[in-house]
Amino acid sequence: MPLVTIRLANRDIPTTSAQKAALIAGTTRLMQEVLDKKPETVTVIIDEIDPDNWGVGGEQVTVVRQRSKGPTQA
Amino acid sequence: MPLVTIRLANRDIPTTSAQKAALIAGTTRLMQEVLDKKPETVTVIIDEIDPDNWGVGGEQVTVVRQRSKGPTQA
Amino acid sequence: MPLVTIRLANRDIPTTSAQKAALIAGTTRLMQEVLDKKPETVTVIIDEIDPDNWGVGGEQVTVVRQRSKGPTQA
Amino acid sequence: MPLVTIRLANRDIPTTSAQKAALIAGTTRLMQEVLDKKPETVTVIIDEIDPDNWGVGGEQVTVVRQRSKGPTQA
Amino acid sequence: MPLVTIRLANRDIPTTSAQKAALIAGTTRLMQEVLDKKPETVTVIIDEIDPDNWGVGGEQVTVVRQRSKGPTQA
Amino acid sequence: MPLVTIRLANRDIPTTSAQKAALIAGTTRLMQEVLDKKPETVTVIIDEIDPDNWGVGGEQVTVVRQRSKGPTQA
């Protein structure tokens, strides 16, 4: 019955369907190994969030990422 | 004050506005009947999720649905 | 596959197990009627919240409720 | 480590990036002032919700807003 | 920056602190392997839910589990 | 209609009711100032999480905090 929600801030290169499949498979396997849950009872939901809507350290992730790229690559 | 969140994996045919209205009305009525809550204090939020982002049994719902359609209807 | 989360501010008289059962049964039936979902695919989770931790109108529900009782009943 | 999620029903005029930045900065400052948290440990996520998917008083916000505009302005 | 929430229905034998540590370590490693995230940016929260408050198939998990034990083992 | 959820890892000294009131009042004021929302439409919920159930950098917060105290203060 475990329910796992994964929230991610979107990047320039979107998360691929293969990566989502790997997150779902890996999380389900973990529930099986650690808690002995049957895979068919595990639900995983991935929420992709606009980096404009995600804040860390009081700033939008969009802003944090731009600064970390530096002036030459911007 | 009850707050109800309904998360749904999208289907090929999108959930209609009338269905959403029925979910909101029905949930609110339930809170009134079971918990004696005033309708105006009930909040309902519907989150529609891409089936690529929803996993059951270790697989994406997209994959599960495709297989259940079978080779002839696919 | 619908996933429904119901968040409630606790009252002096706790929500009974029978009321929780009625919320779960009613929500599941609603998903079946409105969206044609199979009951066995519906998950419902009830979160009971301390009224000290729930705010409406900028105030704790504990405070709002105390005021609405008035000075004579307090 | 505080994690703050802000859910908003979209309006005709979308929430601007500057408003989102103000919500993130303000929430982070509040965690610092009230709980003495370091800003770099605070995460804020803003979820923008379609008003068709948000219900209050048993009705979609879309419907509530239309009625409050009245027949002349509609 | 990934944020993972794991919701579990409590069992008679509570989830141990070692199991929680394994869930947190395993989820964080998965984010690193699949999405190339730095471990220090991954947050994991485990919510333990009373089985009376968790419904599947229209029934409380408490009831489902009792029935699956059968009359002789009960 | 904004709905704000604040999740906090518990500390040795619990969050006081006065701090919770300040979080609720401050968040509500922020919604009013930035988004011009009426205070009575703002809901705030505070979730207090056991530090054993909160992971950062692949470890339980309980473990991280113990290490940061060092051997002499422990």
Side-chain angles (χ1 to χ4, degrees):
Chain A
M1 255 153 312
L3 165 68
V4 182
T5 309
I6 301 170
R7 311 204 91 189
L8 301 169
N10 287 331
R11 305 200 67 94
D12 293 348
I13 300 158
T15 307
T16 65
S17 186
Q19 285 175 316
K20 292 175 186 177
L23 288 175
I24 288 167
T27 307
T28 305
R29 206 172 322 123
L30 190 68
M31 297 299 138
Q32 199 178 359
E33 287 170 9
V34 177
L35 299 173
D36 201 28
K37 299 286 181 187
K38 293 185 193 145
E40 63 268 26
T41 67
V42 180
T43 299
V44 183
I45 298 174
I46 300 166
D47 284 333
E48 300 179 279
I49 310 285
D50 186 325
D52 244 34
N53 290 16
W54 192 301
V56 175
E59 285 184 316
Q60 287 166 297
V61 167
T62 333
V63 174
V64 176
R65 284 186 184 156
Q66 219 143 44
R67 194 171 45 234
S68 78
K69 281 185 193 167
T72 49
Q73 297 102 304
Chain B
M1 255 153 313
L3 165 68
V4 182
T5 310
I6 301 170
R7 311 204 93 189
L8 302 169
N10 287 331
R11 305 200 67 94
D12 293 348
I13 301 158
T15 306
T16 64
S17 186
Q19 286 175 317
K20 292 175 186 177
L23 289 175
I24 288 167
T27 307
T28 305
R29 207 173 320 124
L30 191 69
M31 296 299 138
Q32 199 178 359
E33 286 169 10
V34 177
L35 299 174
D36 201 29
K37 298 287 181 186
K38 293 184 193 146
E40 63 267 27
T41 67
V42 180
T43 300
V44 182
I45 297 173
I46 301 166
D47 284 333
E48 299 179 279
I49 311 285
D50 186 326
D52 245 33
N53 289 17
W54 192 301
V56 175
E59 285 184 316
Q60 285 166 298
V61 167
T62 333
V63 174
V64 176
R65 284 185 184 156
Q66 219 143 43
R67 194 172 45 236
S68 77
K69 281 184 193 166
T72 48
Q73 297 101 305
Chain C
M1 254 154 313
L3 165 68
V4 182
T5 310
I6 301 170
R7 310 204 93 190
L8 302 169
N10 287 332
R11 304 199 68 95
D12 293 348
I13 300 158
T15 307
T16 64
S17 186
Q19 286 176 315
K20 292 175 185 176
L23 290 175
I24 288 167
T27 307
T28 305
R29 207 171 323 124
L30 190 69
M31 297 299 138
Q32 199 177 2
E33 287 169 10
V34 177
L35 300 173
D36 202 28
K37 300 285 181 188
K38 292 182 194 147
E40 63 267 27
T41 68
V42 179
T43 299
V44 183
I45 297 173
I46 300 165
D47 284 334
E48 299 178 279
I49 310 285
D50 185 325
D52 244 33
N53 289 17
W54 191 301
V56 175
E59 286 184 314
Q60 285 166 298
V61 168
T62 333
V63 173
V64 176
R65 283 184 184 157
Q66 219 144 44
R67 194 172 44 236
S68 79
K69 280 186 195 166
T72 49
Q73 296 103 304
Chain D
M1 255 154 312
L3 165 68
V4 182
T5 310
I6 301 170
R7 311 204 92 189
L8 301 169
N10 286 331
R11 306 199 69 95
D12 294 349
I13 300 159
T15 307
T16 64
S17 185
Q19 285 175 317
K20 293 175 186 177
L23 289 175
I24 289 167
T27 308
T28 305
R29 206 172 322 125
L30 191 68
M31 297 300 138
Q32 198 177 1
E33 287 169 9
V34 177
L35 299 173
D36 201 28
K37 299 285 181 187
K38 291 183 194 150
E40 63 268 27
T41 68
V42 180
T43 299
V44 182
I45 297 174
I46 301 166
D47 284 334
E48 299 179 279
I49 310 285
D50 186 325
D52 245 32
N53 290 17
W54 192 302
V56 174
E59 287 184 314
Q60 287 166 296
V61 167
T62 333
V63 173
V64 176
R65 284 186 184 155
Q66 219 143 44
R67 195 173 43 236
S68 78
K69 280 185 193 166
T72 48
Q73 299 101 305
Chain E
M1 255 154 311
L3 165 68
V4 182
T5 310
I6 301 170
R7 310 203 94 188
L8 303 168
N10 287 332
R11 304 199 69 93
D12 293 349
I13 300 158
T15 308
T16 64
S17 186
Q19 286 175 316
K20 293 175 186 177
L23 289 175
I24 288 167
T27 307
T28 305
R29 206 172 322 125
L30 191 68
M31 297 299 138
Q32 198 178 2
E33 286 170 10
V34 177
L35 299 173
D36 201 28
K37 299 286 180 188
K38 292 182 195 149
E40 63 266 27
T41 67
V42 180
T43 300
V44 183
I45 297 173
I46 300 166
D47 283 334
E48 299 179 279
I49 311 284
D50 186 325
D52 244 34
N53 289 17
W54 191 301
V56 174
E59 285 184 317
Q60 286 166 298
V61 167
T62 333
V63 174
V64 176
R65 283 185 185 157
Q66 218 143 45
R67 194 172 44 237
S68 79
K69 281 185 196 166
T72 49
Q73 298 102 304
Chain F
M1 256 153 315
L3 165 67
V4 182
T5 310
I6 302 170
R7 311 203 93 190
L8 302 170
N10 286 331
R11 306 199 66 95
D12 293 349
I13 300 159
T15 307
T16 64
S17 186
Q19 285 175 316
K20 293 175 185 177
L23 289 175
I24 288 167
T27 308
T28 304
R29 206 171 323 125
L30 191 68
M31 298 299 138
Q32 198 178 2
E33 287 169 9
V34 176
L35 300 173
D36 201 27
K37 300 285 181 188
K38 292 182 195 150
E40 62 268 26
T41 68
V42 179
T43 299
V44 182
I45 298 173
I46 301 165
D47 284 334
E48 300 178 279
I49 311 285
D50 185 325
D52 244 33
N53 289 18
W54 192 301
V56 174
E59 285 184 316
Q60 285 166 298
V61 167
T62 333
V63 174
V64 176
R65 284 186 185 155
Q66 219 144 45
R67 194 171 44 236
S68 78
K69 280 185 195 165
T72 48
Q73 296 102 306

